[in-house]
Amino acid sequence: MAFKERVFSGVQPTGNLHLGNYLGAIVKFVALQERYDCIYCVVDMHAITVWQEPAELAKTTREVTAAFLACGIDPKKHIIFNQSQVAEHAELAWVFNCVARLGWLNRMTQFKEKAGKDRENASVGLYVYPNLMAADILVYRATHVPVGEDQKQHLELSRDIAQKFNNDFSASINAHGYGDTFFPLPEPLIQGPATRVMSLRDGSKKMSKSDASDQSRINLTDDADAVALKIRRAKTDPHPLPSEEKGLEQRPEADNLVGIYAALQGVSKGQVLGQFGGGQFSAFKSALVDLAVAKLGPIGAEMKRLTQDPVYIDEVLANGAGRAQAIAADTMKAVKDIVGFVRR
Ligand code: ATP
Ligand code: MG
């Protein structure tokens, strides 16, 4: 069966949005508006899988919304909303809790990283996080999902869940007139040089909102001085930049900064090295500071302006939630019939 093409993706309101979120996800969200119907969600229910201060959660939810708007997502042509306003996400997630297997979730590396050593003390929600993510996507029967590299494994799990649902319930799906398959197998859209932006302090860790060190990331709201300081202090090695991409192997910090430059400028890493290869890091870092400030400055300023108008932000979210719910409710009616739940 051919599914209507639709894009879905989400960002957690867990802290300051950073360059990794921007280059790995939001830049793509913006570009995809031209070709698809898009649904972009502030996933507050995912956020509470680790502790969030209530007042802070509301503030960050509005900040992420402001970032979507400041980066150029159109809330009229597309849909922006926060997850908890559409209860169907949680409803479908429960069904998926009963479709996904323990063995599948046991393989998820994000749970291992976030739970750390004290696994017994992690929330149950953190463990089933990928099932909720599958519900987020599939409640809209979305076909394309732009995410950073770190979410690739979760997206594969979403496909496995969709497939198992389609198989387990195939007779019922057919009997209710939905043909052979009810859910599409959502495709990841992961491409470009900065799909995994690494921490500025440690080239083996991804840049994260939840990293304790603010020096590890460039926030979208950092001012020019902060950006400059963080890039100048970013960890590097003592060698000059190579002239070819192959020379970046085994040099994660250099590779990361070159990748960031390439993504911000919209060129390849090879082209960046063609310009800066053979030169000292300091000169390259200065150019990177200028580029980062030029690209992020206007976004940070617009975010600040928008967050001063929470009434407007809340209107955008409420309006988006209403339109999202209309789609999600149709999916849930069908799912209930397929599963055999008696409904009104
Ligand atoms: P947290 O630490 O709370 O998990 P996060 O920084 O990982 O926060 P998320 O809200 O989990 O951010 O992810 C939002 C989007 O940003 C996802 O598509 C994710 O793949 C992408 N993303 C997150 N970190 C990076 C990164 N370092 N490089 C590229 N993309 C990233
Ligand atoms: Mg994350």
Side-chain angles (χ1 to χ4, degrees), residues 9-26 29 43 50 52 110 114 129 146-152 194-199 205-211:
S9 198
V11 174
Q12 299 188 75
T14 41
N16 287 318
L17 284 182
H18 53 77
L19 194 57
N21 301 134
Y22 179 67
L23 294 175
I26 302 176
F29 296 2
V43 287
V50 298
Q52 305 295 328
Q110 178 177 286
K114 289 201 170 178
Y129 178 116
V147 280
E149 264 279 316
D150 62 305
Q151 291 301 321
K152 192 163 171 250
T195 51
R196 193 180 191 94
V197 176
M198 307 312 278
S199 157
K205 267 170 59 184
K206 83 167 192 82
M207 191 178 278
S208 266
K209 287 190 234 103
S210 49
D211 194 313

Side-chain angles (χ1 to χ4, degrees), residues 84-97:
S84 60
Q85 296 209 56
V86 180
E88 284 79 359
H89 289 243
E91 233 179 331
L92 185 58
W94 180 259
V95 175
F96 287 171
N97 282 343

Side-chain angles (χ1 to χ4, degrees), residues 70-92:
C71 290
I73 296 170
D74 183 337
K76 294 214 168 69
K77 289 203 188 111
H78 302 275
I79 294 178
I80 296 177
F81 74 108
N82 60 310
Q83 189 183 23
S84 60
Q85 296 209 56
V86 180
E88 284 79 359
H89 289 243
E91 233 179 331
L92 185 58

